[in-house]
Amino acid sequence: MVYLIPRAWSSGAYFERFRTWLCTHGALTQLHLFERRDQVFTQEQVLQETVIITVTKTTTPPPLVTISQSLSNGAPHTKLSVPYDLVVQGPKRYIFMPTSAADVACLQRLGRLKYTLPRLGCKLHTGPSIDFRQRAGLRAQPETGAIPLLYAAHLKAGRVHFPQGLTSEWLIPSRPSLVQANHNYLLLKRISAKEEPRRLQAAIYLASDLAPYAQLSTDNKLGFISGIEPLSLTQVYGLYVIFNSSSYDHYYRLLNGSTQVNASEINALPLPDMSTIEAMGQELRTAADLTSTTCEAILARFI
């Protein structure tokens, strides 16, 4: 069977049962991607990223999957043959879609790492505060009972800069589930445009940034990585090296075709062990800047 469908089914928790069923009763044999979503079906104004898939009913996957890509309908396209187990990966049957030798090299390089955030005692959580549902508790200025509320707008050049003069930077929480301890976190933006240069946009938050406060909250459009035990400085900086590197941004784009950074996918990313993460973090702390170039150079020395 051949289908033209949105790419969203290829990753994430929502379609996990479908992917498991499909890859148990059939096998992907061909994939075709469109490089620019805004140049496909322009008259119909379809803005979802779409993909053409060819599936054969079989319990024996082929050794290779053919993956092609074109700029728009009728344009010349590239074609690549990729090992099946590099396309369909893991117990969650995530579907990776490499279209070049560089894509394949990225998947092979990072895919050999054996750890994930949960295996390291960490996890990405979604920010608990949805501001339009908390209007009664939002404040523009600090007052008794109010705690800082962090937004994506506070993430600048790899750090959190608070306050920014927003109209709702403080929150009087209406329930305990909106509150988190003022610990060290790595923050990630959950939403970006496909055309932005980076899908993974991270920032370091240190408890000392808002030292007078024992608690804070984060907006639902942010994710935060925390540990069973509070993250140390070197651990936060080391995680920033990973999530601000161009290699991991490249890897994530091969997995996720949507504009959202999903917790289930981030928590499944292959990572080095914690001692390596801490060593990278220590090196970043002595570096001159927090740019992606610096992070990629550090990552290359360790992985």
Side-chain angles (χ1 to χ4, degrees):
M1 57 185 184
V2 180
Y3 274 86
L4 170 65
I5 55 176
R7 186 178 167 177
W9 65 278
S10 64
S11 62
Y14 188 81
F15 289 98
E16 183 178 339
R17 290 179 62 192
F18 168 74
R19 291 193 305 274
T20 299
W21 185 90
L22 182 69
C23 295
T24 299
H25 297 278
L28 291 165
T29 56
Q30 295 185 60
L31 297 166
H32 183 82
L33 288 72
F34 300 94
E35 185 177 349
R36 292 287 301 274
R37 62 174 178 166
D38 58 350
Q39 294 188 15
V40 184
F41 314 118
T42 52
Q43 292 181 346
E44 290 76 18
Q45 298 182 339
V46 175
L47 290 181
Q48 291 191 71
E49 185 167 4
T50 52
V51 59
I52 301 173
I53 65 170
T54 302
V55 182
T56 300
K57 186 175 181 180
T58 178
T59 57
T60 305
L64 299 173
V65 181
T66 300
I67 302 178
S68 54
Q69 183 181 50
S70 61
L71 184 64
S72 61
N73 285 338
H77 62 271
T78 60
K79 185 179 290 188
L80 186 71
S81 293
V82 183
Y84 189 89
D85 59 4
L86 200 65
V87 175
V88 182
Q89 293 193 32
K92 297 181 182 295
R93 301 297 206 280
Y94 285 155
I95 311 297
F96 291 82
M97 302 185 186
T99 59
S100 68
D103 292 349
V104 171
C106 179
L107 291 177
Q108 292 174 333
R109 175 192 174 201
L110 299 184
R112 63 183 175 82
L113 301 175
K114 303 302 182 184
Y115 290 85
T116 61
L117 283 174
R119 281 198 64 191
L120 294 171
C122 303
K123 194 173 182 180
L124 177 70
H125 306 268
T126 299
S129 291
I130 303 175
D131 56 2
F132 68 84
R133 293 181 180 173
Q134 307 298 325
R135 289 194 179 103
L138 296 177
R139 299 290 187 271
Q141 299 293 332
E143 62 179 69
T144 302
I147 59 175
L149 174 57
L150 302 181
Y151 288 92
H154 294 120
L155 277 57
K156 297 180 182 296
R159 290 302 308 273
V160 171
H161 297 268
F162 183 96
Q164 287 289 318
L166 307 180
T167 58
S168 54
E169 290 183 309
W170 307 89
L171 175 69
I172 299 178
S174 59
R175 58 182 186 273
S177 61
L178 300 177
V179 176
Q180 59 198 86
N182 183 12
H183 291 159
N184 299 333
Y185 297 110
L186 184 76
L187 301 180
L188 286 172
K189 291 184 181 181
R190 291 187 58 235
I191 299 175
S192 64
K194 183 177 184 294
E195 290 73 23
E196 286 190 71
R198 290 191 60 86
R199 183 68 50 81
L200 298 179
Q201 301 179 45
I204 295 166
Y205 172 78
L206 302 179
S208 58
D209 293 341
L210 294 171
Y213 294 90
Q215 298 174 324
L216 54 85
S217 188
T218 47
D219 179 62
N220 186 254
K221 295 182 180 62
L222 282 178
F224 63 93
I225 295 177
S226 62
I228 298 174
E229 299 292 332
L231 297 175
S232 68
L233 282 174
T234 53
Q235 288 171 344
V236 172
Y237 273 82
L239 289 171
Y240 179 81
V241 168
I242 289 171
F243 287 98
N244 196 48
S245 69
S246 56
S247 289
Y248 270 89
D249 189 70
H250 186 180
Y251 186 96
Y252 192 76
R253 284 177 178 269
L254 295 174
L255 169 63
N256 184 316
S258 74
T259 58
Q260 293 198 19
V261 174
N262 298 316
S264 61
E265 296 166 355
I266 294 296
N267 289 324
L269 287 180
L271 300 175
D273 59 79
M274 187 57 81
S275 62
T276 300
I277 292 174
E278 291 174 339
M280 292 191 297
Q282 185 60 41
E283 187 165 331
L284 180 64
R285 289 185 65 192
T286 62
D289 59 61
L290 299 176
T291 62
S292 178
T293 301
T294 299
C295 292
E296 182 63 25
I298 294 173
L299 186 76
R301 286 194 286 274
F302 287 87
I303 299 174

